Amino acid sequence: PEGNGRCERLIRTIKEEEVWLNSYETYQEARDRLARFVDFYNAERIHSALGYISPRQYAALWQEAA
């Protein structure tokens, strides 16, 4: 159940911050914009659950500690 909640929250964020704010002319445009958003989400967007750093930064710190 906990993993499902995280997945549902990610989908909600994608809808709120990308899909509902934009209209897409083609299926390919939608795919491209969603791919850019996911890259932004992982590389730049800060997350409170990760101590206000991006997932990419968090992964780098985790690898350094290992």
Side-chain angles (χ1 to χ4, degrees):
E2 190 172 307
N4 190 47
R6 289 182 184 137
C7 182
E8 288 180 6
R9 182 63 186 122
L10 171 61
I11 291 169
R12 179 178 158 191
T13 297
I14 292 170
K15 288 178 181 179
E16 290 176 344
E17 295 183 18
E18 173 59 34
V19 175
W20 292 341
L21 300 177
N22 298 290
S23 57
Y24 310 103
E25 296 294 323
T26 66
Y27 177 74
Q28 188 60 48
E29 180 187 1
R31 285 181 57 126
D32 293 344
R33 294 283 300 271
L34 288 168
R36 281 197 306 265
F37 179 81
V38 170
D39 187 53
F40 162 77
Y41 183 89
N42 287 318
E44 299 177 40
R45 187 179 180 276
I46 61 171
H47 298 254
S48 61
L50 301 177
Y52 296 96
I53 61 175
S54 73
R56 191 166 290 157
Q57 291 170 313
Y58 185 83
L61 291 172
W62 184 78
Q63 288 180 344
E64 287 175 12

